[in-house]
C-alpha cells in the first residue's frame, strides 16, 4: 500500500529529508517503511487505539483496533485526542461522583477544557496581538480558559475555549476574524463532542456522559446550561414577570394553547414590530418536538435473538443479555403556527444561532442507579430523527424504534432502572423514565438445556 503513495516516490528522490540516511535501495526503503509503520502502530497502541499481539510467525504481528480506535476512525479524530479523552474522563467522573449534583459547574468547566484541548484545534490561527484580545475576552466568560497556570493566551487551545464560552454566553466578538474562527470551531465541535460522549459511555462514566450531552445541547443553542431553558428562544423572555403560574421551561410553553402562548409573549412586543416577534417566538415553540417514550415490557434473550421467543421484564434470568425495544414517538400538535416556516427540512432542529443546519437526535441511556458504589451504565444508543416519514411525504419522522441490549444483575430481586432520554439539540427537553424489572433466582426459573443461553465470564468482561 505504501509503495503506491506519494511518500514512497519522494523517499527515493530525497531520502535524508524523510529520515532515511542511506542509499535509497529497495531493501533500505523497505526497512525504513517497516520501521515507520511499526512506530505509527506503537503510537496508536500507547493512545489505546490499537492492540498489538505477536502473530503465528515470530516475525509477524497482529494489529487489532480497539473501541477507542473505532471511535477515532468514525469521527475522523487524532489518536492524541482519544488518549486525552480516555485519560482525563475518569478523573472528571470521579470528581463529579464525589461532589454530587452541586459540582455541575466544575464538571462543565472541565469538559470545556477537555474539548478545547483536542488536537484538532492545534491549527486554529492566533494572529499578531490576539493574545491581548484573548486575555481581554477571558475576563468576560464564566470559566478560566485553561486548567493550567499560567495561562498561555497564544495557545490555539486557549483561544478555542474562549470562543466556545463567548458563543455560550452570546458575548460580542472584537473582529470579523474572531467571528470566522468561531464558525470554524463550531463546525468541528459537534463531531468531537459526539466522540466525547462515546468515550465517556465506553468507560462507563454516567455523569460525564450526561454532562457531555448537555454541553452539546448548550453549544447548539448558544446558551449556558445553568440558565433558564427559555433563554434558548430569547434572553428577553427572562425579563417577563415571574407569576406563580408562569411557564418556567420549554415543556410548560409547549402545552399552552396558541391563544395563551401568544398572550405569554405579548408583553415583549416592540413598537416597531408589535406582533412579528411574538409570532416568531410562537412558531419557534411549535417547532419543538413533543416526545413520548414507550418501553416494551417484553425482552428477547440475545443468545436466542434469531427466534421469536420473548420473556416478560418480570421474569429475567441473572447474568443474561437481553434486548428490549424502546420507541421514541413525536406527538401530533394542532396549531396555527406552521412548523415549515421555521424549519425547511424534515427532522431539522431549531438551532438558529449555530450556523450550520442540525438535525434532531436523541440519546437513550439505560442506567442502574447506585449499583454498588456508582451508577452503572447498562446500554446507550443514539436515535436520529432525520428524514421523511414514509406515510407522509414532506413531514418529519413520527416515530423511531431501537433495541437496547443489557446484562441483568447477578443477584435476584426487583430493580428500578432509569432510562434517560436526552436530546442532542435542545436544553430542557430531556426525560427520565423508570423501567422496573425482576430477576428471578434459580429455584424460580426454568433452566434452558442449551448452555449458550448463558454468558461466560469472558463474554461479560468483553461486554463491560
Amino acid at each position: 500500500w505504501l509503495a503506491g503513495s506519494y511518500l514512497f516516490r519522494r523517499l527515493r528522490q530525497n531520502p535524508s529529508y524523510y529520515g532515511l540516511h542511506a542509499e535509497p535501495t529497495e531493501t533500505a526503503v523497505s526497512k525504513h517503511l517497516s520501521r515507520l509503520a511499526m512506530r505509527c502502530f506503537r503510537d496508536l497502541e500507547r493512545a489505546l487505539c490499537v492492540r498489538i499481539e505477536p502473530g503465528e510467525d515470530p516475525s509477524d504481528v497482529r494489529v487489532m483496533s480497539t473501541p477507542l480506535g473505532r471511535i477515532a476512525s468514525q469521527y475522523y479524530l487524532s489518536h492524541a485526542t482519544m488518549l486525552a479523552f480516555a485519560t482525563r474522563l475518569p478523573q472528571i467522573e470521579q470528581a463529579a461522583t464525589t461532589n454530587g449534583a452541586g459540582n455541575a459547574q466544575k464538571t462543565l468547566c472541565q469538559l470545556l477544557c477537555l474539548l478545547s484541548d483536542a488536537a484538532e484545534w492545534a491549527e486554529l490561527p492566533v494572529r499578531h496581538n490576539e493574545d491581548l484580545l484573548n486575555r481581554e475576552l477571558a475576563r468576560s466568560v464564566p470559566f478560566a480558559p485553561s486548567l493550567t497556570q499560567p495561562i498561555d493566551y497564544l495557545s490555539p487551545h486557549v483561544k478555542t475555549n474562549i470562543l466556545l464560552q463567548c458563543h455560550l454566553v452570546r458575548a460580542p466578538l472584537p473582529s470579523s476574524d474572531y467571528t470566522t474562527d468561531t464558525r470554524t470551531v463550531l463546525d468541528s465541535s459537534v463531531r468531537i463532542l459526539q466522540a466525547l460522549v462515546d468515550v465517556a459511555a465506553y468507560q462507563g462514566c454516567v455523569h460525564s456522559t450526561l454532562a457531555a450531552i448537555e454541553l452539546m445541547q448548550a453549544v447548539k443553542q448558544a446558551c449556558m446550561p445553568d440558565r433558564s431553558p427559555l433563554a434558548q428562544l430569547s434572553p428577553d423572555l427572562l425579563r417577563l414577570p415571574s407569576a406563580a403560574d408562569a411557564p418556567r421551561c420549554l415543556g410548560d410553553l409547549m402545552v399552552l394553547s396558541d391563544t395563551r402562548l401568544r398572550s405569554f409573549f405579548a408583553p415583549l412586543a416592540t413598537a416597531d414590530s408589535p406582533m412579528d416577534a411574538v409570532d416568531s417566538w410562537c412558531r419557534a415553540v411549535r417547532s419543538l418536538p413533543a416526545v413520548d417514550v414507550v418501553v416494551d415490557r417484553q425482552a428477547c434473550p440475545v443468545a436466542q435473538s434469531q427466534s421469536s421467543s420473548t420473556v416478560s421484564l418480570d421474569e429475567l434470568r441473572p447474568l443474561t443479555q437481553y434486548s428490549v425495544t424502546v420507541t421514541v414517538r413525536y406527538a401530533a400538535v394542532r396549531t396555527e403556527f406552521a412548523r415549515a416556516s421555521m424549519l425547511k427540512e424534515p427532522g431539522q432542529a431549531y438551532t438558529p444561532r449555530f450556523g450550520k443546519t442540525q438535525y434532531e437526535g436523541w440519546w437513550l441511556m439505560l442506567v442502574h442507579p447506585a449499583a454498588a458504589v456508582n451508577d452503572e451504565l447498562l446500554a446507550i444508543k443514539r436515535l436520529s430523527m432525520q428524514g421523511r416519514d414514509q406515510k407522509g411525504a414532506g413531514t418529519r419522522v413520527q416515530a423511531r424504534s431501537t433495541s437496547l441490549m443489557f446484562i441483568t444483575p447477578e443477584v435476584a430481586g426487583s430493580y428500578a432502572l432509569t432510562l434517560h432520554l436526552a436530546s442532542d439539540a435542545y436544553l430542557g427537553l430531556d426525560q427520565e423514565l423508570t423501567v422496573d424489572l425482576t430477576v428471578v433466582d434459580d429455584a424460580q426459573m426454568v433452566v434452558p438445556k442449551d448452555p449458550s443461553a448463558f454468558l461466560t465470564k469472558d463474554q461479560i468482561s468483553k461486554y463491560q
Side-chain angles (χ1 to χ4, degrees):
W1 181 84
L2 286 175
S5 65
Y6 182 70
L7 169 65
F8 183 81
R9 295 176 180 272
R10 290 301 305 156
L11 184 61
R12 289 178 173 275
Q13 300 296 324
N14 192 359
S16 61
Y17 181 81
Y18 294 96
L20 177 57
H21 303 291
E23 288 295 323
T25 61
E26 184 174 348
T27 302
V29 168
S30 177
K31 289 183 178 180
H32 178 76
L33 291 178
S34 296
R35 288 194 298 267
L36 178 63
M38 284 307 302
R39 186 163 63 248
C40 292
F41 282 137
R42 295 301 179 190
D43 290 342
L44 291 173
E45 184 183 36
R46 282 191 290 270
L48 309 177
C49 290
V50 301
R51 189 169 67 252
I52 300 178
E53 296 179 356
E56 297 180 358
D57 190 290
S59 61
D60 294 338
V61 294
R62 297 178 58 200
V63 181
M64 293 160 287
S65 64
T66 64
L68 291 180
R70 290 190 287 272
I71 293 172
S73 176
Q74 178 179 353
Y75 297 108
Y76 201 67
L77 299 181
S78 166
H79 66 284
T81 300
M82 291 294 102
L83 180 59
F85 287 178
T87 304
R88 292 165 58 178
L89 274 172
Q91 302 171 6
I92 297 175
E93 178 72 10
Q94 180 63 32
T97 304
T98 303
N99 298 307
N103 204 39
Q105 288 294 90
K106 183 178 180 181
T107 301
L108 175 62
C109 175
Q110 291 174 326
L111 287 178
L112 270 171
C113 290
L114 180 56
L115 171 63
S116 58
D117 284 344
E120 284 62 34
W121 311 121
E123 300 301 322
L124 186 73
V126 181
R127 303 170 188 88
H128 180 61
N129 282 338
E130 282 193 349
D131 57 321
L132 304 178
L133 294 175
N134 292 340
R135 188 185 300 272
E136 186 65 27
L137 284 175
R139 298 191 180 100
S140 62
V141 296
F143 308 120
S146 177
L147 297 179
T148 60
Q149 297 293 335
I151 299 174
D152 180 13
Y153 289 98
L154 285 172
S155 167
H157 302 286
V158 169
K159 182 179 179 180
T160 298
N161 191 302
I162 293 173
L163 292 177
L164 284 171
Q165 292 195 61
C166 287
H167 173 71
L168 293 179
V169 300
R170 304 179 189 177
L173 297 175
S175 68
S176 59
D177 287 337
Y178 273 73
T179 302
T180 302
D181 294 340
T182 300
R183 192 177 299 115
T184 300
V185 169
L186 294 180
D187 284 348
S188 297
S189 62
V190 172
R191 65 186 175 94
I192 300 178
L193 279 169
Q194 288 176 335
L196 184 61
V197 172
D198 285 358
V199 175
Y202 164 68
Q203 294 184 322
C205 302
V206 176
H207 296 86
S208 298
T209 302
L210 291 172
I213 293 174
E214 187 178 51
L215 179 56
M216 185 187 302
Q217 299 168 354
V219 169
K220 290 186 178 182
Q221 292 296 334
C223 182
M224 288 293 291
D226 59 342
R227 297 195 73 187
S228 169
L230 300 182
Q232 296 173 86
L233 302 178
S234 172
D236 295 337
L237 299 183
L238 304 183
R239 297 190 285 105
L240 290 172
S242 56
D245 59 344
R248 299 181 182 276
C249 64
L250 295 180
D252 293 342
L253 290 178
M254 293 168 65
V255 299
L256 295 179
S257 64
D258 287 349
T259 303
R260 292 188 61 192
L261 190 62
R262 185 182 278 111
S263 300
F264 173 74
F265 291 126
L268 294 176
T270 61
D272 297 334
S273 55
M275 294 308 297
D276 288 350
V278 171
D279 288 347
S280 176
W281 287 326
C282 291
R283 288 193 297 270
V285 172
R286 290 297 181 242
S287 69
L288 301 177
V291 183
D292 293 327
V293 184
V294 179
V295 181
D296 193 348
R297 292 297 301 173
Q298 297 292 314
C300 177
V302 174
Q304 303 173 10
S305 59
Q306 300 300 325
S307 66
S308 58
S309 62
T310 59
V311 295
S312 169
L313 291 182
D314 297 322
E315 301 174 348
L316 303 181
R317 297 192 298 267
L319 288 181
T320 305
Q321 191 174 20
Y322 288 93
S323 172
V324 63
T325 301
V326 180
T327 301
V328 176
R329 181 177 293 112
Y330 282 176
V333 178
R334 294 184 178 180
T335 177
E336 65 182 76
F337 301 106
R339 184 178 194 271
S341 62
M342 298 292 290
L343 307 176
K344 304 302 182 183
E345 301 180 40
Q348 182 180 342
Y350 177 72
T351 54
R353 297 173 184 84
F354 187 76
K356 270 192 171 182
T357 300
Q358 298 296 305
Y359 296 92
E360 292 168 350
W362 299 88
W363 293 94
L364 288 165
M365 291 177 54
L366 188 62
V367 177
H368 183 191
V373 179
N374 300 324
D375 294 350
E376 181 183 3
L377 180 59
L378 299 179
I380 183 171
K381 187 168 286 188
R382 184 178 180 272
L383 273 179
S384 173
M385 304 302 285
Q386 182 180 359
R388 300 178 182 272
D389 191 5
Q390 296 179 354
K391 297 182 180 179
T395 62
R396 70 164 135 185
V397 174
Q398 299 302 312
R400 283 273 167 85
S401 298
T402 188
S403 297
L404 293 179
M405 291 188 294
F406 65 98
I407 291 180
T408 52
E410 183 177 3
V411 180
S414 298
Y415 295 89
L417 306 183
T418 301
L419 179 64
H420 294 269
L421 175 71
S423 170
D424 68 353
Y426 305 112
L427 286 163
L429 292 187
D430 298 350
Q431 299 182 28
E432 287 187 15
L433 295 85
T434 300
V435 179
D436 296 316
L437 57 84
T438 302
V439 178
V440 297
D441 57 25
D442 295 344
Q444 295 174 290
M445 68 181 181
V446 178
V447 180
K449 297 180 180 179
D450 184 7
S452 65
F454 292 96
L455 293 174
T456 65
K457 291 184 177 180
D458 291 339
Q459 288 174 316
I460 293 174
S461 299
K462 181 179 179 181
Y463 170 84
Q464 292 171 340

